[in-house]
Amino acid sequence: MNVRGVDGYDSVIKSIEELKKRKVAVTIAYTVNPWNRREDYTHILGIVKRYAIGLRTVIYEDAKVFNVDFKGRVLCDIPDLMKNDLEQKFVLLYKKWLEGMKIPCMSIFDNTFIMPNGDVRLCHGSEVVLGNLSKELFDSIWTSKKTKRILKQHILCNKCYTYCHRKFDISILNILKFLPTFILEKLFKGDVKLIIDEIKRKESVPSR
């Protein structure tokens, strides 16, 4: 079995076993992509259970920064297999996002992306540069009027579904879901009501 196109499966298992011996908390990431199958995810769930480790379920993203050849979206047919409710919501909302749901990007107010050349970018999916670390301190860049303006302009960017950003956004809305919708819509804009309805929905995902 390949890991990111490389025959490194045995090395990954060995690493997990060594880390567990040292009592290190381990979490692995599984990326739903055009080349894996539902059975692959089932296999990973078996590993997670066997070694009592964490699992993050990521969705393939073709942002330029990842330098990938395949450009496109993927079909996620695994929600019914997922145990973590928030991770499941992340995967389920992906389909809604593909259909045009506008998810406010709050993660850009919490984290950023730094390139090897020192450029501080808005996020993984954007080439917008907030500043450069070779010219000024990070604090100066992050608290500048320019950055604040750019952040406000991009809260409804909605161009990517990168795990580190969208999972954060869904987590925030999940925490705040009990607030009146009109307050959330004023705070975040976008299709907040639709997103909250999806997060609150307790409807079981049909098994296959």
Side-chain angles (χ1 to χ4, degrees):
M1 183 182 291
N2 289 342
V3 178
R4 293 195 173 187
V6 178
D7 186 13
Y9 178 81
D10 292 338
S11 296
V12 171
I13 296 298
K14 183 178 179 180
S15 296
I16 291 173
E17 291 174 344
E18 287 297 322
L19 290 170
K20 291 296 289 185
K21 286 179 184 177
R22 298 170 186 266
K23 301 187 183 303
V24 175
V26 178
T27 296
I28 60 174
Y30 176 90
T31 301
V32 181
N33 64 56
W35 304 280
N36 54 25
R37 302 168 300 168
R38 182 178 167 87
E39 292 75 17
D40 295 327
Y41 191 74
T42 303
H43 179 78
I44 294 300
L45 290 177
I47 293 174
V48 168
K49 183 177 181 180
R50 185 191 320 157
Y51 294 104
I53 59 179
L55 172 64
R56 292 177 180 172
T57 304
V58 182
I59 297 174
Y60 179 88
E61 177 60 44
D62 61 4
K64 186 175 180 179
V65 70
F66 296 126
N67 194 30
V68 293
D69 294 323
F70 177 80
K71 301 294 182 183
R73 303 302 178 185
V74 298
L75 174 66
C76 297
D77 62 345
I78 59 171
D80 60 300
L81 299 174
M82 303 178 73
K83 309 299 181 184
N84 182 296
D85 182 62
L86 201 56
E87 293 269 319
Q88 185 187 72
K89 293 299 183 187
F90 168 75
V91 172
L92 287 171
L93 282 170
Y94 175 69
K95 182 179 179 181
K96 297 290 183 180
W97 174 77
L98 287 176
E99 294 170 352
M101 176 181 278
K102 293 181 175 63
I103 303 175
C105 191
M106 295 162 280
S107 63
I108 56 176
F109 292 88
D110 180 78
N111 58 73
T112 186
F113 187 69
I114 300 175
M115 297 293 288
N117 67 351
D119 279 349
V120 179
R121 287 191 179 181
L122 176 65
C123 67
H124 288 73
S126 172
E127 293 185 58
V128 175
V129 177
L130 305 177
N132 187 284
L133 295 178
S134 66
K135 298 177 181 177
E136 52 187 321
L137 296 174
F138 178 79
D139 284 351
S140 298
I141 297 172
W142 189 245
T143 58
S144 70
K145 290 182 180 180
K146 173 188 172 182
T147 293
K148 291 178 181 178
R149 185 184 72 254
I150 291 174
L151 293 178
K152 289 181 180 179
Q153 290 173 343
H154 287 81
I155 192 169
L156 284 180
C157 171
N158 209 46
K159 290 181 179 178
C160 78
Y161 206 82
T162 308
Y163 181 89
C164 55
H165 294 296
R166 289 318 196 182
K167 175 72 182 302
F168 181 99
D169 301 331
I170 295 168
S171 298
I172 293 296
L173 289 173
N174 184 60
I175 293 170
L176 301 177
K177 63 188 175 188
F178 299 109
L179 288 176
T181 303
F182 75 91
I183 293 178
L184 293 174
E185 288 178 329
K186 282 189 176 181
L187 287 172
F188 305 120
K189 305 184 185 305
D191 296 326
V192 172
K193 185 180 185 306
L194 293 176
I195 300 167
I196 294 296
D197 287 345
E198 288 294 324
I199 289 175
K200 287 183 176 179
R201 196 150 55 101
K202 297 300 181 183
E203 174 183 276
S204 60
V205 180
S207 56
R208 293 179 43 167

